[in-house]
Amino acid sequence: MSQIDTAISPIIENFQSKLMLDSNLISFQNGLPNPVCPSTTTHESLIDKIKKKIENKETWFSLEFFPPKTVNGASNLISKLEFLGTGKPLFCDITWHPAGDPASDKPTSSMKISNVMLNYCLLETMLHITCYGQTKESMKQYLDKAKSIGIRNLLALRGDPAVGTEWRYQENGFNYATDLVRFIRENYGILPIQSYDSLRHICKLSKLEVPQNIVSAMEKIKDNDEAIRIYGIEQAVNLCQELMQAGVFGVHFYTLNRDVAVTEILRRLDLWNKDSEPRHLPWKSKQLCSYSRPDEDVRPIFWSIRPKSYVCRTSDWDQFPNGRWGNSSAPSFGDLKDYHIFYSKINTKECLAQWGHNLNDETDVWNVFASFVSGKPNKIGVKITSFPWCEEGLASETSLLTDELERFNRQGILTINSQPNVNGAPSSDPVIGWGSPDGYVYQKAYIEFFISKSFLPFLLEALEKYPRVIYHIINKSGDINLTNCTLLNPNAVTWGVFPGKEIVQPTVVDPISFMSWKDESFNIWTDYWGKLYEPNSTSRELLEQISNTYLLVNIVDNEFQKENCIWSILNEMLELKAKNMLKISLKLA
Amino acid sequence: MSQIDTAISPIIENFQSKLMLDSNLISFQNGLPNPVCPSTTTHESLIDKIKKKIENKETWFSLEFFPPKTVNGASNLISKLEFLGTGKPLFCDITWHPAGDPASDKPTSSMKISNVMLNYCLLETMLHITCYGQTKESMKQYLDKAKSIGIRNLLALRGDPAVGTEWRYQENGFNYATDLVRFIRENYGILPIQSYDSLRHICKLSKLEVPQNIVSAMEKIKDNDEAIRIYGIEQAVNLCQELMQAGVFGVHFYTLNRDVAVTEILRRLDLWNKDSEPRHLPWKSKQLCSYSRPDEDVRPIFWSIRPKSYVCRTSDWDQFPNGRWGNSSAPSFGDLKDYHIFYSKINTKECLAQWGHNLNDETDVWNVFASFVSGKPNKIGVKITSFPWCEEGLASETSLLTDELERFNRQGILTINSQPNVNGAPSSDPVIGWGSPDGYVYQKAYIEFFISKSFLPFLLEALEKYPRVIYHIINKSGDINLTNCTLLNPNAVTWGVFPGKEIVQPTVVDPISFMSWKDESFNIWTDYWGKLYEPNSTSRELLEQISNTYLLVNIVDNEFQKENCIWSILNEMLELKAKNMLKISLKLA
């Protein structure tokens, strides 16, 4: 990368002036609503979003990326996508590199990156696709795959001939972008809603002439990287401001897969994350733009702490549960085949500093959990920001439970998921609210934790006094498997009531899915945490032993209108155990 | 019918002693639960119900009927079934008359009566079926039909040869009841759970010898019908008491399609309707035993006042909405083809006395509505117990709204359906509760009424101040069709939260179904009420005019946590109209 690239990156493109000139942007759309049974979800197409922004005179930005060259590069790009996503781009697009096996399942392919962008990072995603030199069969395969992934926006391009060859008209082949658009229209039950001019291919950039005043200015500071960086950002901000003052609402950035400069420019333009966006559902931060899981609105609560794992393990499902989990004829949970993309870059050093260089006994492990839930530094003064059971950090509502959770974790009740009960709070509540702002949300108190098998008799004795709760207790092998739930029904633990809508119940405790979750969560002890340590080390053996002997417990308090009884159960269990220890020690004495 | 028939009718059969001897009772069962997605509904087979009764040492009774000979007889029998159903028989069975076209769609066929018994009267139903002299093809057709109706209990019988012929072994035919049982097992993915001896065919009764002491006793009173009736009941009660003291829990009555004697016997035995049964869902009095609509748990609220019409109009549906109305791909509403069975016996004289012999102007009609909702006698002192829009009388919760409803009806707001808002009442509440007793139920306030078009501007003006409500206003032809609802989403108006279960939302206001309901409810003015009067009479023309010019309005108040605003809207509308009338009269003056 030359310094000039750095200086004028990100490159800015004015969108608005090019709207509705050509027909290269294709939106996959749902069919017309069934007149008898309309879908409760309405998808707003990207073009409609853009039009609405312009009508409301709101500014926006969008970000363009290219597929990475290495698996490590893919991991880095995904981190950047997740970070840049918090700035709320209107959409992100990924370019198509015909030479880079762009439709493959490799972590570096355009198709795979667009999948991650859309379904895991939850960004409105546009996939470039080029047709030059392709057969109709291969194009059909590419488009089928894009559709099955859930891509709803394609930027149809002609594409360039391979380096060193000339563009030539091909009989029955794809010669122009319009050939591809025609092919898409002929082959997909799809609806091109609107269109606008193609974005200039980034390669053409090199043919642009850099204005003389920029060349002169940069000549003076060419040995000062920091000055060049500042100058580049300054230029970009000025250009954007001029455009926006001239009535441009949308700005498209060619990020060159970098995040620092674009973030600073966006912040200075006041385009970065201006509005805090309400949660669409409790387990995803905003409405999915994916065509492949459009009506999904109920998930087992277990994966609310690992949403990427859930998306990964359900990516082969043909349809997603909607309204009611128990209605679903969805297949069983798949494996974590795509999941490595997110974790190939796990930073061992960082993780060891947070989770402990040496774990000598169980209380060392308990204190890691306690530090994580409390946000307090661990014994070497390091704050625990990532945790193997928790992809996205602690949910904001966990702050309502911090003190109790820390206390219980320090005593060996290793909580991995919990929520307070909520009895009809406004859906606009900043901590526990979700959905449109004029509804009411409800929750049953829920807790999930690992615990030593030595607690079992005391836990069961404490639970007996509370028939209002439903519990499941299981160990890794499944030979301990206890529940007071007589039917294998899902239990709704989060639901919402909104004007003019059916009841939404986005999370359930499902006894059958819990079996799949059990395997996943016990494996985390050894596969994500244990592997940080040498084989046969005390730390690794301790984690293996915990994985093999601890119990996984979940408890739902069905009485959401009353005070949560879960703390009482845990306190009584601890007291019963303490009394028993006292008895034993008295006997010994 | 001879006096002896009267005296010893109903004939009593001891069930328990015959349990598990033979294999003639077949239960259609659901398949095994899908291990990934278990059904949330569990069906208890009749045999399990009987076994549970015996285990719990609870007594029960069951009632046997035969198919009627005439359409009028069918209507009478259905009324008796509805009445006897309130006494809570464990099941009812209907005999099979091979000579009477038993599998046809005639109102007098065994198949049709079993359908009504099961799906409209909501009784656990057993259908007799005989095989002697039948081909496998015809038996297959009969069994398919029984299954599609939702019959889960069959009493498989050999059947008798036609009168005047002898029983003969038929190669490849059905010779014994066990042949039929084997055929059913071979041809249906069905599960015979348990079995017991066949009930003695009622015809065999005539071959029984009547004990001498009974003959002697009856000889003395043979000219006194009332004495014979009393003697018969006395004998039956004594026999049942002896059986029950000897440890018999269940008694089966051959009712001979009569209801008076059996009711008195059951009352004296304390078997009649001992427990008040909680509502399973708000729109049906108990859990349906039908195999054909097992998972159905959401319906448009419109038909909550006409459940038989709803069952009739949806009887061709292959599947029923479950959990969410908007998910349903159910076909559109059919016609009321079976419905005449319930109304072939409409008593014109009775209806005229209740709804008015002469309707001179609109206020006459308004007062009929007001008398019905208030329970007060009409102007000739007759109490209105049936009403054309309301199959089952007023819902108990309407009593919560009586005063307001009466006042509004007297002023021309002709309410046909309404419910108060409920914010998390215990599901065991005797008036508004439903479902298992340990949950909470919720409702949005709802009202549906007819109103003169002259109210329209004032109604719209009043509604404008309440964005929290969603309304629909429509006339018969549909050329007035106003709503503030932007999407065609169903709006949940009744829902419940229960431990260990998904959220249930049994009633919704569905804007699309409302179009079908609109036609049905406007037609009631002319087809059920108007037809009572001579063509061209003032009354008939008035009702036709109302049907053609009035509006049908429904309003949902989405703010179920706050005080219902529907009364305020209606009051404001009335005030606005009164002010306007005043203005006009002042101008005229």
Side-chain angles (χ1 to χ4, degrees):
Chain A
M1 278 293 161
S2 74
Q3 285 176 330
I4 290 189
D5 279 346
T6 315
I8 55 173
S9 155
I11 296 111
I12 297 146
E13 182 112 3
N14 169 7
F15 244 107
Q16 192 188 357
S17 61
K18 294 181 176 172
L19 263 160
M20 293 181 243
L21 292 178
D22 195 7
S23 54
N24 283 7
L25 175 67
I26 307 291
S27 284
F28 285 103
Q29 293 293 323
N30 276 324
L32 292 172
N34 177 330
V36 176
C37 299
S39 167
T40 51
T41 334
T42 50
H43 292 289
E44 198 177 13
S45 72
L46 177 54
I47 273 297
D48 284 340
K49 286 182 187 175
I50 292 173
K51 285 168 72 180
K52 201 189 267 181
K53 289 276 186 193
I54 293 172
E55 274 166 27
N56 299 341
K57 298 190 188 300
E58 289 168 3
T59 53
W60 82 90
F61 69 98
S62 49
L63 302 172
E64 181 161 321
F65 303 87
F66 57 80
K69 291 203 173 62
T70 63
V71 176
N72 218 36
S75 273
N76 283 327
L77 177 58
I78 292 164
S79 300
K80 285 178 189 164
L81 288 173
E82 293 213 85
F83 169 69
L84 290 168
T86 64
K88 308 274 186 299
L90 191 66
F91 69 93
C92 292
D93 56 338
I94 178 83
T95 57
W96 185 260
H97 284 202
D101 206 356
S104 74
D105 282 331
K106 293 177 187 164
T108 54
S109 79
S110 300
M111 194 69 83
K112 178 62 85 182
I113 296 293
S114 70
N115 184 359
V116 171
M117 207 181 238
L118 177 67
N119 292 305
Y120 296 84
C121 304
L122 311 179
L123 297 165
E124 175 90 59
T125 297
M126 189 198 294
L127 174 65
H128 294 216
I129 195 156
T130 64
C131 60
Y132 184 76
Q134 295 293 326
T135 63
K136 292 194 174 176
E137 290 68 33
S138 65
M139 281 316 291
K140 177 105 179 39
Q141 278 179 5
Y142 298 170
L143 294 169
D144 280 344
K145 193 158 183 175
K147 190 178 175 186
S148 77
I149 281 170
I151 294 288
R152 300 173 70 225
N153 307 297
L154 286 179
L155 186 65
L157 296 158
R158 188 196 68 187
D160 295 313
V163 175
T165 65
E166 288 281 303
W167 179 87
R168 289 196 316 171
Y169 185 83
Q170 295 175 298
E171 200 64 43
N172 285 322
F174 291 99
N175 292 293
Y176 308 101
T178 47
D179 293 345
L180 177 53
V181 171
R182 194 177 311 112
F183 179 76
I184 293 172
R185 288 196 188 166
E186 279 165 9
N187 287 276
Y188 295 85
I190 60 159
L191 185 67
I193 287 288
Q194 285 295 352
S195 58
Y196 56 86
D197 195 6
S198 74
L199 306 177
R200 292 178 193 290
H201 193 282
I202 197 157
C203 296
K204 289 187 186 163
L205 175 71
S206 54
K207 296 180 191 160
L208 285 175
E209 227 174 283
V210 179
Q212 192 51 46
N213 63 330
I214 294 182
V215 176
S216 314
M218 287 180 63
E219 194 62 30
K220 296 176 197 158
I221 53 172
K222 67 178 177 190
D223 298 323
N224 184 340
D225 283 359
E226 179 62 11
I228 285 193
R229 202 185 65 79
I230 291 169
Y231 177 79
I233 288 171
E234 206 68 45
Q235 288 295 316
V237 170
N238 290 344
L239 177 54
C240 288
Q241 280 170 339
E242 276 173 41
L243 286 169
M244 286 158 75
Q245 277 156 16
V248 167
F249 294 105
V251 190
H252 185 68
F253 291 84
Y254 296 86
T255 64
L256 301 180
N257 290 13
R258 294 167 175 211
D259 58 340
V260 180
V262 74
T263 309
E264 186 162 342
I265 294 164
L266 287 169
R267 289 202 165 118
R268 284 176 57 179
L269 291 169
D270 203 20
L271 283 173
W272 181 263
N273 192 15
K274 280 194 290 197
D275 308 307
S276 77
E277 207 173 349
R279 288 189 294 172
H280 175 63
L281 285 170
W283 39 258
K284 57 189 180 193
S285 58
K286 53 179 170 166
Q287 185 150 18
L288 271 177
C289 308
S290 177
Y291 181 64
S292 68
R293 337 174 46 112
D295 290 324
E296 180 188 24
D297 68 6
V298 45
R299 290 183 180 181
I301 195 171
F302 319 122
W303 281 276
S304 63
I305 53 173
R306 282 168 72 83
K308 290 190 178 67
S309 149
Y310 185 79
V311 171
C312 189
R313 298 190 64 176
T314 61
S315 57
D316 288 338
W317 288 8
D318 291 332
Q319 52 183 28
F320 292 90
N322 170 230
R324 190 173 277 215
W325 182 264
N327 282 355
S328 158
S329 55
S332 54
F333 293 96
D335 60 19
L336 285 163
K337 60 186 175 335
D338 274 346
Y339 200 65
H340 65 95
I341 303 181
F342 302 104
Y343 289 92
S344 61
K345 65 170 181 58
I346 275 190
N347 184 327
T348 306
K349 204 175 146 192
E350 177 85 9
C351 288
L352 286 172
Q354 293 191 22
W355 308 341
H357 297 95
N358 291 296
L359 302 167
N360 295 311
D361 59 30
E362 291 171 76
T363 56
D364 281 350
V365 174
W366 299 0
N367 285 325
V368 173
F369 276 83
S371 294
F372 175 63
V373 297
S374 66
K376 292 178 184 168
N378 65 14
K379 66 179 180 183
I380 62 165
V382 174
K383 198 167 139 73
I384 301 180
T385 55
S386 73
F387 205 58
W389 286 272
C390 199
E391 279 169 4
E392 323 248 292
L394 286 177
S396 55
E397 64 180 325
T398 310
S399 64
L400 304 174
L401 314 169
T402 305
D403 293 348
E404 288 90 347
L405 288 177
E406 184 189 356
R407 187 165 62 80
F408 287 122
N409 276 283
R410 295 235 183 262
Q411 296 178 82
I413 299 168
L414 308 181
T415 60
I416 56 172
N417 200 353
S418 56
Q419 68 176 22
N421 61 319
V422 174
N423 184 18
S427 60
S428 56
D429 185 288
V431 177
I432 47 172
W434 51 272
S436 54
D438 43 5
Y440 294 102
V441 297
Y442 295 80
Q443 291 181 177
K444 293 179 183 171
Y446 175 74
I447 199 160
E448 189 181 338
F449 54 85
F450 291 103
I451 199 167
S452 161
K453 203 158 51 183
S454 63
F455 280 97
L456 184 58
F458 313 107
L459 176 58
L460 289 173
E461 192 177 338
L463 284 168
E464 214 164 77
K465 287 168 57 185
Y466 296 89
R468 63 191 250 190
V469 308
I470 292 181
Y471 64 83
H472 285 85
I473 304 171
I474 198 160
N475 68 351
K476 186 175 187 171
S477 68
D479 57 0
I480 297 177
N481 186 355
L482 303 163
T483 179
N484 64 339
C485 137
T486 49
L487 294 169
L488 293 181
N489 282 338
N491 189 358
V493 290
T494 312
W495 64 101
V497 185
F498 299 91
K501 290 187 183 153
E502 297 190 78
I503 310 297
V504 196
Q505 53 155 26
T507 59
V508 295
V509 169
D510 172 47
I512 293 167
S513 311
F514 184 58
M515 295 299 117
S516 299
W517 168 249
K518 179 263 289 184
D519 293 337
E520 180 172 332
S521 60
F522 273 109
N523 283 340
I524 289 172
W525 286 105
T526 48
D527 294 2
Y528 288 85
W529 193 348
K531 278 192 179 157
L532 296 175
Y533 308 94
E534 291 298 315
N536 304 319
S537 62
T538 311
S539 303
R540 185 146 168 178
E541 285 184 349
L542 177 67
L543 294 171
E544 267 166 24
Q545 185 208 315
I546 287 178
S547 168
N548 289 327
T549 63
Y550 269 42
L551 305 168
L552 181 62
V553 181
N554 73 50
I555 302 177
V556 179
D557 179 3
N558 288 294
E559 272 291 2
F560 63 97
Q561 291 201 358
K562 297 181 182 157
E563 203 185 342
N564 170 3
C565 72
I566 289 177
W567 304 145
S568 308
I569 292 170
L570 298 181
N571 281 326
E572 287 171 36
M573 174 189 75
L574 291 170
E575 281 165 27
L576 287 165
K577 189 165 194 224
K579 269 189 207 160
N580 190 61
M581 298 282 277
L582 188 66
K583 249 189 247 170
I584 292 171
S585 53
L586 286 174
K587 268 189 198 163
L588 289 176
Chain B
M1 275 301 157
S2 74
Q3 284 176 329
I4 290 189
D5 279 348
T6 314
I8 55 174
S9 153
I11 297 110
I12 298 144
E13 183 112 1
N14 169 6
F15 244 107
Q16 191 186 359
S17 61
K18 297 183 176 172
L19 263 161
M20 294 182 243
L21 292 178
D22 194 5
S23 55
N24 284 5
L25 177 67
I26 307 291
S27 286
F28 284 104
Q29 293 292 320
N30 274 324
L32 290 173
N34 176 332
V36 175
C37 299
S39 167
T40 52
T41 332
T42 51
H43 292 288
E44 197 178 15
S45 73
L46 177 54
I47 273 298
D48 284 341
K49 285 182 186 173
I50 291 173
K51 285 167 73 179
K52 199 189 267 180
K53 288 277 185 191
I54 293 172
E55 274 166 27
N56 298 340
K57 298 189 189 298
E58 288 167 3
T59 53
W60 83 89
F61 69 96
S62 50
L63 302 172
E64 182 161 319
F65 303 87
F66 58 78
K69 290 202 175 64
T70 64
V71 176
N72 216 38
S75 271
N76 282 327
L77 177 58
I78 292 164
S79 298
K80 285 177 189 167
L81 288 172
E82 292 212 88
F83 168 69
L84 290 169
T86 64
K88 307 278 187 295
L90 191 66
F91 70 93
C92 293
D93 55 339
I94 178 85
T95 58
W96 186 260
H97 284 202
D101 206 355
S104 75
D105 281 331
K106 293 179 188 163
T108 52
S109 79
S110 300
M111 194 69 85
K112 178 62 83 182
I113 296 293
S114 70
N115 183 359
V116 171
M117 206 181 238
L118 177 67
N119 291 306
Y120 296 83
C121 303
L122 310 179
L123 296 165
E124 175 90 62
T125 297
M126 187 199 293
L127 174 65
H128 294 217
I129 197 157
T130 64
C131 60
Y132 183 77
Q134 296 293 325
T135 63
K136 292 195 176 176
E137 291 68 35
S138 64
M139 281 315 290
K140 179 109 180 33
Q141 277 179 4
Y142 296 170
L143 294 168
D144 280 345
K145 192 157 185 176
K147 193 177 173 187
S148 77
I149 281 170
I151 295 288
R152 301 171 70 224
N153 308 296
L154 286 179
L155 186 67
L157 296 156
R158 187 196 69 186
D160 297 312
V163 176
T165 64
E166 288 282 302
W167 180 85
R168 290 194 318 172
Y169 185 83
Q170 293 175 299
E171 200 65 45
N172 285 320
F174 291 100
N175 292 293
Y176 308 102
T178 48
D179 293 345
L180 176 55
V181 172
R182 192 176 313 112
F183 179 76
I184 293 172
R185 288 194 189 167
E186 279 165 8
N187 287 278
Y188 294 86
I190 60 159
L191 185 67
I193 287 286
Q194 285 294 350
S195 60
Y196 56 87
D197 194 7
S198 74
L199 306 176
R200 294 178 191 290
H201 193 282
I202 196 158
C203 295
K204 289 190 185 161
L205 174 72
S206 56
K207 295 181 191 160
L208 286 176
E209 226 174 283
V210 179
Q212 190 52 46
N213 64 331
I214 294 184
V215 174
S216 313
M218 287 179 65
E219 194 62 32
K220 294 178 199 159
I221 53 170
K222 66 179 178 183
D223 298 323
N224 185 340
D225 283 359
E226 178 64 11
I228 285 193
R229 200 185 68 80
I230 292 169
Y231 176 79
I233 289 171
E234 204 71 45
Q235 288 295 315
V237 169
N238 290 345
L239 176 57
C240 288
Q241 280 171 339
E242 276 173 41
L243 286 168
M244 287 159 72
Q245 276 157 17
V248 167
F249 294 106
V251 190
H252 185 66
F253 291 84
Y254 295 85
T255 64
L256 302 180
N257 289 14
R258 293 165 178 214
D259 58 339
V260 179
V262 74
T263 308
E264 186 163 343
I265 294 163
L266 287 167
R267 288 203 164 116
R268 285 174 59 178
L269 290 169
D270 203 21
L271 283 173
W272 181 262
N273 191 17
K274 281 195 288 197
D275 309 306
S276 78
E277 207 172 350
R279 288 188 295 173
H280 176 63
L281 285 170
W283 38 258
K284 59 189 179 193
S285 58
K286 53 178 169 170
Q287 186 151 16
L288 270 177
C289 308
S290 177
Y291 181 65
S292 68
R293 342 177 40 116
D295 290 324
E296 181 188 25
D297 68 6
V298 45
R299 291 183 180 180
I301 195 172
F302 319 121
W303 280 276
S304 63
I305 52 172
R306 283 168 71 84
K308 290 190 178 68
S309 149
Y310 185 78
V311 171
C312 187
R313 298 191 63 176
T314 61
S315 56
D316 288 339
W317 289 8
D318 291 332
Q319 51 183 27
F320 292 91
N322 173 228
R324 194 174 275 216
W325 181 264
N327 282 354
S328 157
S329 56
S332 55
F333 293 95
D335 59 20
L336 286 163
K337 59 184 175 332
D338 274 347
Y339 201 65
H340 65 94
I341 302 181
F342 302 105
Y343 288 92
S344 61
K345 66 173 179 57
I346 275 191
N347 185 326
T348 305
K349 204 176 147 190
E350 177 86 11
C351 290
L352 284 172
Q354 294 191 20
W355 308 342
H357 296 95
N358 291 296
L359 301 167
N360 294 312
D361 59 31
E362 291 171 77
T363 56
D364 281 349
V365 173
W366 300 359
N367 284 326
V368 173
F369 276 83
S371 294
F372 176 63
V373 297
S374 66
K376 292 179 185 167
N378 66 14
K379 66 179 179 185
I380 61 164
V382 174
K383 199 167 140 74
I384 302 180
T385 53
S386 74
F387 206 58
W389 286 272
C390 199
E391 280 169 3
E392 323 249 291
L394 286 178
S396 56
E397 64 180 326
T398 309
S399 64
L400 304 174
L401 313 170
T402 305
D403 292 347
E404 288 89 348
L405 289 178
E406 184 189 354
R407 188 166 60 81
F408 287 123
N409 276 284
R410 296 233 183 261
Q411 296 177 82
I413 300 168
L414 308 181
T415 60
I416 55 171
N417 200 351
S418 57
Q419 68 176 24
N421 61 319
V422 173
N423 184 19
S427 60
S428 56
D429 185 289
V431 177
I432 47 173
W434 52 271
S436 55
D438 42 5
Y440 294 102
V441 297
Y442 294 81
Q443 292 181 175
K444 292 179 184 170
Y446 175 72
I447 199 161
E448 189 182 337
F449 54 86
F450 291 103
I451 198 168
S452 160
K453 202 158 54 182
S454 62
F455 280 99
L456 184 58
F458 313 108
L459 176 59
L460 289 173
E461 192 177 338
L463 284 167
E464 214 163 79
K465 288 168 58 186
Y466 295 89
R468 63 191 252 192
V469 308
I470 292 182
Y471 63 82
H472 285 84
I473 303 171
I474 199 161
N475 68 349
K476 186 173 188 172
S477 67
D479 56 0
I480 297 177
N481 186 355
L482 303 164
T483 178
N484 64 337
C485 137
T486 49
L487 295 169
L488 294 182
N489 282 338
N491 189 359
V493 289
T494 312
W495 65 101
V497 185
F498 299 91
K501 292 190 181 152
E502 298 191 79
I503 309 297
V504 196
Q505 53 155 27
T507 59
V508 296
V509 169
D510 173 45
I512 293 166
S513 310
F514 184 58
M515 295 298 118
S516 299
W517 169 249
K518 180 263 290 184
D519 293 336
E520 180 173 332
S521 60
F522 273 110
N523 283 341
I524 289 172
W525 284 105
T526 46
D527 294 0
Y528 288 84
W529 193 349
K531 278 191 179 159
L532 296 175
Y533 308 95
E534 291 299 313
N536 303 318
S537 62
T538 311
S539 303
R540 185 145 169 179
E541 285 185 351
L542 176 68
L543 294 171
E544 267 165 27
Q545 185 208 316
I546 288 177
S547 167
N548 288 327
T549 62
Y550 269 43
L551 305 167
L552 180 63
V553 181
N554 72 50
I555 302 176
V556 179
D557 179 2
N558 288 292
E559 272 292 2
F560 62 98
Q561 292 200 358
K562 297 181 183 157
E563 202 184 342
N564 170 3
C565 72
I566 289 177
W567 304 147
S568 308
I569 292 169
L570 298 182
N571 281 326
E572 286 171 37
M573 175 189 74
L574 290 171
E575 281 164 27
L576 287 166
K577 188 161 194 227
K579 268 187 209 163
N580 190 63
M581 298 281 278
L582 188 65
K583 246 189 247 172
I584 291 171
S585 52
L586 285 174
K587 267 189 199 166
L588 289 175

